[in-house]
Amino acid sequence: MTTTDTLLTVEQAAERLGTGVRFIRRLIQERRIRYVKLGKPVRIPESAIAAYIEERTVPTLGDARSRFEKAA
């Protein structure tokens, strides 16, 4: 997290991912996404949202094949 990283509320993070608030709260509870606890309120860095998306992006078959061709 950088100092210029915007902290999002749970509602804003849910909107950014196109999900419900309940899903974001479950990610936090299961510690599957980074978050910042400010007393009782919880905030999620924008970089954590981007990392969550990147980690769960499935490559296309073309990307997977090109990776194997380079190794040969």
Side-chain angles (χ1 to χ4, degrees), residues 6 8 10 16 19 26 39 43 50-51 54 64:
T6 305
L8 305 173
V10 172
R16 191 77 45 102
T19 65
R26 192 175 77 218
R43 299 291 183 261
E54 183 66 31

Side-chain angles (χ1 to χ4, degrees), residues 20-52:
V21 173
R22 191 173 180 184
F23 177 72
I24 300 297
R25 292 200 184 280
R26 192 175 77 218
L27 291 178
I28 292 168
Q29 179 185 5
E30 295 173 358
R31 294 187 180 210
R32 292 170 47 199
I33 194 166
R34 286 185 301 116
Y35 64 94
V36 178
K37 189 136 169 95
L38 305 169
K40 188 174 180 177
V42 174
R43 299 291 183 261
I44 300 157
E46 279 188 327
S47 61
I49 298 290
Y52 182 81

